[in-house]
Amino acid sequence: MSAEYATFGLAPAMRAGGVLANGDYQVHRDFVDFIVDGRPLLFQLSDLDAVSPLASDIPPAIFTAHVRRLLLEAEAPLRDGRYVIYGCPECEGLDCGAVTAVIERAADGADDFVWRDFAWQTAEPADLELNGYHGIGPFRFRGAEYRTALGQLLAADEPPARRRVLLIGARVAVLAKLAAALRTIGIGAEIAADAAGVPPDELRTYGAVAFGRAVPSADRDAVRAAFDSAGVGVAYVDGLAPIIPLLVAQIEHALDRSPGDLRRLTRLAATPGTASVEVTSTCRVQLIAYRLDRLYRTHTQELLDAVLEPGEHRVPLSAKATKGESYVVARTTGSVLVAPTSA
């Protein structure tokens, strides 16, 4: 094994939930990703829809157990000293498959941790010849750096992810459908006329506030003032249109706490004739167009569903997809962006 060191770090990440074009739902998951040599390790696994064991919605005792396993302070959960690095975002166990690796102390006696023999595992034992990730690792991490990064997750004052959204708007029926969709994918949502009189402790549970487009500027300012007075920093979402999948996508983007330079999907722009999307690593990208007709009926058209290489990509848009008031949503497993079509 090479004596070269890899750097180890952690960063917030998410598996973007949403209402998909076919009507299915995809669950939202916040988790902590492993940053190896400055980039998410997940990005080296092509287009894998998975989360690390360090997810924010698991019980604290289980979260702590996962951290201590990575620190080699607890027994490996799988045979041959193997640990789950990424697993299915919808369930636990190996049935859906998981990325596993051996985690061990350096064999030469140095105070280092080694991750090696990465594999896609669906049963015991792992078949390295058939399912090994032969181009990934081994990684050797300095012990102090490794323990410091993981030890910070055990801090008692670690703030929980605020996966609740306050919905404010004039169309109660739209807000009710939006709240139901958000709750289905794992995001709490409450409907209110304003934030007046809400205790600061409750305001601190929200990660975002979404305004319907009919909410007057004065009412928006009052809500912002209430959160400012409580010392709460939240993301504010100005709803683009009464289209539920579109609004869910806007809110998902607002709740994304991952650093901008560690995201796969970095830019989306749309005109009536072309959509331009930029990705930083090989991944599956879905582009969906939504539009409202003169009777405020929603029309949906899938524009692209393909694995794209890093860089900028242009996708032609038909006149039918962007007729009138229209928007484009770009989605990967870890991020989502929304853009209106502009003349």
Side-chain angles (χ1 to χ4, degrees):
M1 183 181 66
S2 171
E4 293 184 2
Y5 283 96
T7 62
F8 181 85
L10 302 168
M14 79 171 185
R15 189 269 192 136
V19 181
L20 306 184
N22 61 4
D24 291 342
Y25 291 89
Q26 183 168 285
V27 175
H28 174 106
R29 298 293 302 279
D30 291 302
F31 64 100
V32 177
D33 201 2
F34 307 110
I35 309 301
V36 177
D37 286 335
R39 286 184 58 77
L41 180 59
L42 187 59
F43 289 8
Q44 297 189 39
L45 302 171
S46 188
D47 186 53
L48 182 65
D49 184 12
V51 299
S52 82
L54 307 177
S56 64
D57 56 350
I58 62 177
I62 297 177
F63 184 93
T64 298
H66 284 311
V67 175
R68 298 212 177 278
R69 283 174 179 168
L70 295 173
L71 290 166
L72 300 182
E73 296 175 0
E75 292 293 325
L78 303 174
R79 289 170 52 179
D80 303 319
R82 301 192 69 83
Y83 296 77
V84 174
I85 306 300
Y86 296 106
C88 175
E90 305 282 352
C91 64
E92 296 183 4
L94 294 178
D95 292 344
C96 294
V99 177
T100 67
V102 173
I103 301 179
E104 63 186 7
R105 298 279 189 171
D108 57 12
D111 182 27
D112 299 330
F113 291 78
V114 176
W115 289 17
R116 63 173 175 83
D117 295 341
F118 287 82
W120 177 253
Q121 191 168 348
T122 56
E124 300 257 32
D127 188 335
L128 295 179
E129 183 175 351
L130 181 64
N131 297 317
Y133 286 101
H134 302 293
I136 299 179
F139 301 115
R140 179 169 180 154
F141 306 117
R142 289 181 172 85
E145 178 183 59
Y146 184 87
R147 281 191 297 271
T148 297
L150 288 169
Q152 290 175 350
L153 298 178
L154 301 177
D157 59 350
E158 183 73 15
R162 292 180 290 162
R163 295 186 303 144
R164 294 181 70 213
V165 181
L166 184 63
L167 307 178
I168 298 177
R171 299 180 63 178
V172 177
V174 173
L175 296 180
K177 291 179 181 179
L178 176 57
L182 291 169
R183 292 166 186 155
T184 299
I185 66 172
I187 297 174
E190 284 76 41
I191 300 171
D194 54 46
V198 179
D201 286 346
E202 183 175 343
L203 293 180
R204 294 188 184 98
T205 66
Y206 292 105
V209 177
F211 296 109
R213 56 184 182 180
V215 177
S217 297
D219 293 349
R220 297 171 189 242
D221 292 342
V223 171
R224 290 187 173 92
F227 277 89
D228 289 343
S229 297
V232 182
V234 297
Y236 294 99
V237 178
D238 293 322
L240 291 173
I243 302 172
I244 302 304
L246 179 73
L247 295 172
V248 170
Q250 283 191 267
I251 291 169
E252 279 286 272
H253 175 67
L255 292 175
D256 191 351
R257 300 184 302 125
S258 63
D261 59 348
L262 297 181
R263 299 179 186 179
R264 273 179 162 155
L265 186 59
T266 56
R267 193 179 72 84
L268 173 67
T271 69
T274 307
S276 175
V277 61
E278 186 172 349
V279 296
T280 59
S281 65
T282 301
C283 60
R284 178 188 177 194
V285 176
Q286 296 172 291
L287 287 182
I288 302 170
Y290 297 96
R291 71 178 182 89
L292 291 175
D293 63 20
R294 289 178 297 176
L295 299 178
Y296 278 82
R297 294 173 298 193
T298 300
H299 300 265
T300 305
Q301 182 175 337
E302 186 175 282
L303 307 171
L304 175 74
D305 188 348
V307 175
L308 301 182
E309 297 296 320
E312 183 179 354
H313 303 267
R314 295 182 178 276
V315 178
L317 304 182
S318 66
K320 181 179 180 181
T322 59
K323 181 180 179 181
E325 184 181 350
S326 58
Y327 307 87
V328 174
V329 173
R331 178 179 296 278
T332 68
T333 56
S335 54
V336 60
L337 289 175
V338 177
T341 58
S342 56

